Coordinates of all heavy atoms in Angstrom, one line a residue:
L60 N -23.4 0.6 4.0 CA -23.5 1.2 2.7 C -23.3 0.3 1.5 O -24.1 0.4 0.6 CB -22.5 2.4 2.6 CG -22.8 3.6 3.5 CD1 -21.7 4.6 3.4 CD2 -24.1 4.3 3.1
G71 N -33.0 -2.3 -8.6 CA -33.3 -1.1 -9.4 C -33.9 0.1 -8.7 O -34.6 0.9 -9.3
Q73 N -33.6 3.4 -7.6 CA -32.7 4.5 -7.9 C -32.5 5.5 -6.8 O -31.4 6.0 -6.5 CB -33.3 5.3 -9.1 CG -33.5 4.4 -10.4 CD -32.2 3.8 -10.8 OE1 -31.2 4.5 -11.0 NE2 -32.1 2.5 -11.0
Q77 N -29.0 6.3 -5.1 CA -28.5 7.7 -5.0 C -28.1 8.1 -3.6 O -27.0 8.7 -3.4 CB -29.5 8.6 -5.6 CG -29.0 10.1 -5.8 CD -30.1 11.0 -6.3 OE1 -31.3 10.7 -6.1 NE2 -29.6 12.0 -7.0
G101 N 3.5 15.2 8.3 CA 4.8 14.4 8.2 C 4.7 13.1 9.0 O 5.7 12.5 9.3
C106 N -1.8 2.4 6.0 CA -3.0 3.1 5.6 C -4.2 2.6 6.4 O -5.2 3.4 6.6 CB -3.2 3.0 4.1 SG -3.8 1.4 3.6
S116 N 0.4 6.8 1.9 CA 1.1 7.6 0.9 C 0.1 8.5 0.1 O -1.1 8.4 0.4 CB 1.8 6.7 -0.2 OG 0.8 6.0 -0.9
W118 N -0.8 8.2 -2.8 CA -1.7 7.4 -3.6 C -2.9 6.9 -2.9 O -4.0 6.6 -3.5 CB -0.9 6.2 -4.2 CG 0.1 6.6 -5.2 CD1 1.4 6.7 -5.0 CD2 -0.2 7.0 -6.5 NE1 2.0 7.2 -6.2 CE2 1.0 7.3 -7.1 CE3 -1.4 7.1 -7.3 CZ2 1.1 7.8 -8.4 CZ3 -1.3 7.5 -8.6 CH2 -0.1 7.9 -9.2
A123 N -8.8 7.7 -2.7 CA -10.0 8.2 -2.0 C -10.7 9.3 -2.8 O -11.9 9.3 -2.9 CB -9.7 8.7 -0.6
A127 N -14.4 9.2 -4.5 CA -15.4 10.2 -4.2 C -16.0 10.8 -5.4 O -17.2 11.0 -5.5 CB -14.8 11.3 -3.3
L129 N -16.1 9.3 -8.4 CA -17.0 8.2 -9.0 C -18.3 8.1 -8.3 O -19.3 7.9 -8.9 CB -16.2 6.9 -8.9 CG -15.0 6.7 -9.8 CD1 -14.4 5.3 -9.5 CD2 -15.4 6.8 -11.3
R143 N -31.9 1.3 -19.2 CA -31.9 0.0 -19.7 C -30.6 -0.4 -20.4 O -30.1 0.4 -21.2 CB -33.1 -0.2 -20.7 CG -34.5 0.0 -20.0 CD -35.6 -0.2 -21.0 NE -36.9 0.0 -20.4 CZ -38.1 -0.1 -21.0 NH1 -38.1 -0.4 -22.4 NH2 -39.2 0.1 -20.4
T151 N -20.5 -6.7 -20.2 CA -19.4 -5.8 -20.1 C -19.3 -5.2 -18.7 O -18.2 -5.1 -18.1 CB -19.4 -4.8 -21.2 OG1 -19.5 -5.4 -22.4 CG2 -18.2 -3.9 -21.1
L152 N -20.4 -4.8 -18.2 CA -20.5 -4.2 -16.9 C -20.0 -5.2 -15.8 O -19.3 -4.8 -14.9 CB -21.9 -3.6 -16.6 CG -22.1 -2.9 -15.3 CD1 -21.2 -1.7 -15.2 CD2 -23.5 -2.5 -15.1
A156 N -16.6 -3.8 -13.9 CA -16.7 -3.3 -12.6 C -15.8 -4.0 -11.6 O -15.0 -3.3 -10.9 CB -18.2 -3.4 -12.1
M170 N 1.9 1.3 -6.4 CA 2.6 2.5 -6.6 C 3.6 2.8 -5.5 O 4.2 3.9 -5.5 CB 1.7 3.7 -6.9 CG 0.8 3.6 -8.0 SD 1.7 3.3 -9.6 CE 2.5 4.9 -9.7
S181 N 19.7 -2.4 0.3 CA 19.5 -3.6 -0.5 C 20.5 -3.7 -1.6 O 21.1 -4.8 -1.9 CB 18.1 -3.5 -1.2 OG 17.9 -4.6 -2.0

Side-chain angles (χ1 to χ4, degrees):
L60 288 176
Q73 302 301 308
Q77 187 179 27
C106 71
S116 68
W118 289 104
L129 289 176
R143 295 181 180 179
T151 304
L152 183 61
M170 299 303 294
S181 177

